[in-house]
Amino acid sequence: MLTDRLYRVSIGHLPTPLEPLYRLSSLLGGPELWIKRDDQTGLATGGNKTRKLEFLVADALAQEADTLITCGAGQSNHARQTAAAAAKFGMACTLVLRGEEPPQTQGNLLLDRLLGAEVVWAGDEPLVERMEAVAEDLRAQGRRPYIVPYGGSNPLGISGYVAAMEELLAQCAERGVHFDHIVLASSSGGTQAGLVVGARALGYEGHIIGISVDPTADRLRQILADLATATADRLGLGFAFAPEEFDVEDRYLGGGYAVIGDLEREAIRTLARTEGILLDPVYTGRAFGGLLDLIRQGAFGPQERVLFWHTGGIPGLFGFAEMLR
Ligand SMILES: *Cc1c(COP(=O)(O)O)cnc(C)c1O
């Protein structure tokens, strides 16, 4: 495996299922849609951070850390999965979350609390500096904190998605299927960067299209190039990436990060009612809404095969319940 030289703990329920979406594909009249179920990775309802945490937690344990610290939005899936990973490996967890404590403890935040994480509300202060300050305080008390980066997106975490590409291509070989396009939600960029590094290393030539949930396309492409280059370097692969090599769509940003609109609501209802599969409102709802719009615009041939990579986020449905009714 491409990631064999790195330490890794086993957390995920892997390989995740690869499933055809027969009803939706025939309803739309093509392309042939499939789904990669990384909402089923395990770890406190699953999601894409599980694969990243397998490498990050291994590194924390190698450094004899006793506390994981990370940051994110108030309904961060990454924070919730980090809290679960800390619990599983006997570590404490402090989450630095943007904004103020909401009146209701729901969705991911409810799970953060149940998993035993301590939550620090950062208001609109920069999250990274606040994490450093929390780590400094803990060190002064004789503790051994380990900072998991925003989104789990450094070369170690991203290696989880290099391995995921290897997993997908093995499933494709076994099932005799090939995907012309892979579509996924992209935010901190780690997931897409990892898939692209894996694709380059393994000779996959289909398109990997990131639907941006947050950054503009120009900014996301630059982030992706930097992360992919650093990850390839960490894995000793010796290739570099330029921003133009990444397929990114920023047409679906709507009202901004975590502002739920008709695009997300329609996508969630469509997949739920044709296939019985749930999407989340912030990431996969937006990405799947973008995919449905691209299909309507004729971006894919009717005979082509398109894979939607589901990245999880289900507790967000409860965190944003009022906006989904
Ligand atoms: C974090 C997250 C993403 C984005 O992944 P990145 O690696 O940060 O681009 C997508 N979907 C869900 C559900 C997430 O929690």
Side-chain angles (χ1 to χ4, degrees):
M1 282 188 52
L2 294 168
T3 53
D4 272 352
R5 284 196 280 159
L6 301 178
Y7 289 114
R8 176 178 186 173
V9 294
S10 173
I11 304 176
H13 302 168
L14 306 178
T16 55
L18 175 66
E19 300 170 342
L21 298 175
Y22 290 130
R23 294 197 68 238
L24 183 57
S25 303
S26 85
L27 197 78
L28 297 170
E32 184 180 317
L33 291 172
W34 288 59
I35 193 165
K36 176 71 170 154
R37 300 295 304 273
D38 273 17
D39 57 322
Q40 304 289 317
T41 52
L43 198 61
T45 81
N48 63 341
K49 307 312 180 305
T50 303
R51 294 186 190 267
K52 298 177 181 185
L53 285 162
E54 289 197 335
F55 291 88
L56 293 162
V57 167
D59 189 44
L61 294 173
Q63 295 183 26
E64 298 181 0
D66 60 16
T67 307
L68 296 183
I69 302 174
T70 201
C71 65
Q75 280 293 331
S76 167
N77 299 301
H78 168 64
R80 176 249 313 164
Q81 294 212 275
T82 301
K88 180 173 170 67
F89 289 90
M91 290 181 274
C93 183
T94 301
L95 303 173
V96 175
L97 303 183
R98 190 174 295 124
E100 312 295 336
E101 176 149 23
Q104 292 228 2
T105 299
Q106 247 301 7
N108 282 296
L109 183 59
L110 171 64
L111 302 187
D112 295 342
R113 302 269 193 217
L114 293 175
L115 292 161
E118 189 190 328
V119 177
V120 173
W121 293 99
D124 45 24
E125 269 179 65
L127 296 176
V128 172
E129 277 103 274
R130 195 64 193 269
M131 282 200 297
E132 298 289 352
V134 168
E136 206 42 62
D137 284 352
L138 289 174
R139 272 185 224 109
Q141 296 165 33
R143 302 258 297 274
R144 298 179 62 90
Y146 180 95
I147 293 182
V148 175
Y150 177 73
S153 290
N154 64 10
L156 272 186
I158 292 169
S159 297
Y161 270 89
V162 179
M165 192 67 193
E166 208 161 8
E167 176 184 301
L168 173 71
L169 294 179
Q171 286 176 313
C172 288
E174 197 179 296
R175 309 271 292 263
V177 291
H178 169 80
F179 295 105
D180 302 293
H181 309 270
I182 297 173
V183 176
L184 73 152
S186 205
S187 177
S188 73
T191 304
Q192 188 176 358
L195 294 179
V196 169
V197 171
R200 168 89 62 96
L202 301 164
Y204 171 78
E205 289 184 344
H207 301 108
I208 299 175
I209 305 166
I211 309 281
S212 180
V213 167
D214 194 9
T216 61
D218 281 348
R219 207 172 113 63
L220 185 53
R221 281 199 192 91
Q222 186 61 55
I223 293 170
L224 288 164
D226 292 345
L227 291 176
T229 300
T231 302
D233 186 52
R234 185 74 180 74
L235 294 173
L237 294 169
F239 27 71
F241 295 84
E244 314 79 70
E245 293 175 69
F246 294 86
D247 279 325
V248 169
E249 273 298 342
D250 66 359
R251 271 184 281 167
Y252 305 108
L253 296 175
Y257 179 79
V259 178
I260 318 303
D262 288 340
L263 180 92
E264 292 82 13
R265 277 189 287 267
E266 195 211 308
I268 291 169
R269 291 203 180 106
T270 300
L271 191 64
R273 291 171 190 195
T274 54
E275 298 284 350
I277 295 175
L278 299 172
L279 296 165
D280 85 289
V282 177
Y283 297 92
T284 55
R286 181 162 291 178
F288 203 80
L291 170 58
L292 291 175
D293 186 63
L294 290 171
I295 291 171
R296 256 179 243 125
Q297 294 187 19
F300 311 107
Q303 306 304 325
E304 284 192 305
R305 223 180 255 131
V306 179
L307 177 71
F308 181 72
W309 202 303
H310 195 325
T311 45
I314 304 310
L317 287 172
F318 307 103
F320 292 92
E322 336 67 69
M323 297 191 207
L324 293 169
R325 262 189 224 119

